[in-house]
Amino acid sequence: MNRWNVREIAFYGNGGRRRTLEFDTDKVNVITGASGTGKSAIIDAIDYCLGSSDCKLPFFVRNHAEAVAVHWTQGDSDLIVGRKIPKAGSGTNQMYVRSGRNLKLPDTSEALEGPTNRDTARALIEKTFGIQDTDNPAVAAKAEKGRATIRDIPPYLFLSGDVIISRETLLHDLNRPEKARDIKATIPYFLGAVDQASVLAARTLRQLEAALAKIEREASAQERSQSLLTQRSMALLTQAQGVGLVAELPSPDASDKLLLDQLAGIASSGVASTDTRDSEARAVMEDERRGLVSELQTLRAKRQMIKQTIREATGYETAVSGQSHKLRLVEHLKLDDGRCPVCDAQNSAGQAMAEQIRNSLSIVANEVLAVDGMRPRLDDHSGHIENLIGSKYSRLKEVEAQLAGLVRVEEESVKTGSLLQERARVVGRIDQFLETTAKDFQTASTDTTSLVSRIEHLRDRVDPQARRERLRDAENMVSAFATEMLVDLPTEVPATGSRVVFSSAPNLSLVEPSRRAVLAMAEIGSDQNYLAIHLALAFSLQKLFETIKAPVPGLLVIDQISRPYYPKGGDEKRLREMEKDDDQVAMQQIVRFLFDETARQAGLQVILIEHAYIEEDPEYVAAVKGRWTKASGVKLIPSDWPLRN
């Protein structure tokens, strides 16, 4: 046996009581019987001992059993996981984990060894099963999204009653939103498309890319803010010049630091500055503004002409490209041997014709070269004009802001009639600007060199293309396995003869054979079809896990393959109790599939929970580990167990 199977499940009660279920490894095991005997609690017990946060064991079990333990085995290796059962509410945090060789379940719950908390128990089970990297504290952190844990394997172990004939739910727990997220995030790991390191690298990569995008957005906003800072600083300096607080304006190319320093100097000097107003300042700015407007008009006209030229060149390029194909004639015509290219005779008329063809081909070749050389120069010139327009437009906005400041100063000076008062107002505006707005704009730039380097390194490690290819390969393998298995199971149209298409979304569809229509799960119809599809998928995933050595136990716990054929509830059912002969044949066909497919897959164990007792099949009868019927009175928890303390 090369995969983990369940050897025993034990329930512990008061007074040293123990109820033990024993199973054969690498085989089909059947527990059959009546409803209400606790058969379905086998799934709940295994799930609970895999570290579930919830305890879904039935009320009767909780009232009479105080602990449960599962004995796993792989060859000569053993793993015993035990856990206290709460009377009500969520699962207990106290667990017991012990691994080694030749281990046996203790007789009482008090003798369970390896007490620990639930998180540590999960990590120990993960390490035993082979879920990688559990020794790394960063990897083992519960908050890591997408990291596979022991809680992500139940969907591949259990075909529970709410799933096995469901038209909507493909895997166990996939119908629970809080579980579906983790199933979807970790399925690439279990399908062998990624390892734990690449899962975490991909998560870190997403975080770093988001951080870089945020820095770039902030840098872009800062750049826009710096442009606004320049405009406001120049406007204030223009106002200061207008009231004689500064002799001349700085250069349009002056840095923001120089502008702010000059404003700070004005603020510190206050209103006592000498009147150094230049009466020509406004006239100079008006002249510059008119010049900029004129230049912009000229540049825009040039831009329009260049666009028209590019459009015409594009049309000409299309025509010349068509003619360029004529150059290929040179490969077929012998124009240099003195013979006529039409009749292959050697005469003067033929030579003249060859010369004309050569001339024509030369013209076409020159046209192609001319077009190829002209287009890049046109594009470069167009880009140059666009850059000039942007530069001139930015300067125009600065000049207009400065003019607006001068006009405002003059208007306010007229109103107040006092230069000193106007200077005080300008100095006040500068003070307020330096104390508030300018400080908001002054943010330290962030060096992203190291961040970009880390992102590039992680992108190399994640290799999304290789991940997609490995994932696609796994999907194709599961689809092929399931298609083959579906042939061995009883189905109805449209599932009969259909091809299974599995996606790691996870999702499944069928391609029916007659019209090759792609059918979603909800469109397939018939409980018998849904039963066949779920069985084929469950066994196909287990076959893939065996092939790629995935860290998933070789276990399938199946809750009633007879659901489409028997009414719900009641006592143990016999094959002859089915109303239709076709249903009896279908039931026997499914049983054969279970035994044959389990035998084909090395290390696979099946625990079948059933109402049906198929006494017509000797192999089925031999696989029965318990018949919990109303007549026998046998149950998961014996009726004579006392209530727990």
Side-chain angles (χ1 to χ4, degrees), residues 330 333-339 354-355 358:
V330 176
L333 299 178
K334 300 177 181 179
L335 302 179
D336 298 323
D337 61 359
R339 295 180 180 274
E355 183 63 27
R358 276 197 299 269

Coordinates of all heavy atoms in Angstrom, one line a residue, residues 330 333-339 354-355 358:
V330 N 10.7 38.5 -60.7 CA 12.1 38.4 -61.0 C 12.6 37.0 -60.8 O 13.5 36.5 -61.4 CB 12.9 39.4 -60.2 CG1 14.4 39.2 -60.4 CG2 12.5 40.8 -60.5
L333 N 11.3 35.1 -64.2 CA 11.7 35.5 -65.5 C 13.2 35.7 -65.7 O 13.9 36.2 -64.8 CB 11.0 36.9 -65.8 CG 9.5 36.9 -65.8 CD1 9.0 38.3 -66.1 CD2 8.9 35.9 -66.8
K334 N 13.8 35.1 -66.7 CA 15.2 35.2 -67.0 C 15.5 36.4 -67.8 O 15.4 36.4 -69.1 CB 15.7 33.9 -67.6 CG 15.5 32.7 -66.8 CD 16.0 31.4 -67.5 CE 15.8 30.2 -66.7 NZ 16.2 29.0 -67.4
L335 N 15.7 37.6 -67.2 CA 15.7 38.8 -67.9 C 17.2 39.2 -68.3 O 17.4 40.2 -69.0 CB 15.2 40.0 -67.0 CG 13.7 39.8 -66.6 CD1 13.3 41.0 -65.7 CD2 12.8 39.6 -67.8
D336 N 18.1 38.4 -67.9 CA 19.5 38.8 -68.2 C 20.2 37.9 -69.2 O 21.4 38.0 -69.4 CB 20.3 38.8 -66.9 CG 19.8 39.8 -65.9 OD1 19.4 40.9 -66.4 OD2 19.8 39.5 -64.7
D337 N 19.4 36.9 -69.8 CA 20.1 36.0 -70.8 C 19.9 36.4 -72.2 O 20.2 35.6 -73.1 CB 19.6 34.6 -70.5 CG 18.1 34.4 -70.7 OD1 17.5 35.5 -71.1 OD2 17.6 33.3 -70.5
G338 N 19.3 37.6 -72.5 CA 19.1 38.0 -73.9 C 18.0 37.4 -74.6 O 17.8 37.6 -75.8
R339 N 17.2 36.6 -73.9 CA 16.0 35.9 -74.6 C 14.7 36.6 -74.2 O 14.6 37.3 -73.3 CB 16.0 34.5 -74.2 CG 17.2 33.7 -74.6 CD 17.0 32.2 -74.1 NE 18.2 31.4 -74.5 CZ 18.3 30.8 -75.7 NH1 17.3 30.9 -76.6 NH2 19.4 30.1 -76.0
A354 N 12.4 42.7 -72.4 CA 13.0 42.4 -71.1 C 13.5 43.7 -70.5 O 13.4 43.8 -69.2 CB 14.2 41.4 -71.4
E355 N 14.1 44.6 -71.3 CA 14.6 45.8 -70.7 C 13.5 46.7 -70.1 O 13.6 47.3 -69.1 CB 15.3 46.6 -71.9 CG 16.0 47.9 -71.4 CD 17.1 47.7 -70.4 OE1 17.7 46.6 -70.4 OE2 17.3 48.6 -69.5
R358 N 12.5 45.2 -66.8 CA 13.5 45.5 -65.8 C 13.3 47.0 -65.3 O 13.4 47.3 -64.1 CB 14.9 45.4 -66.3 CG 15.4 43.9 -66.2 CD 17.0 43.9 -66.4 NE 17.4 44.4 -67.7 CZ 17.5 43.6 -68.8 NH1 17.3 42.3 -68.7 NH2 17.9 44.1 -70.0

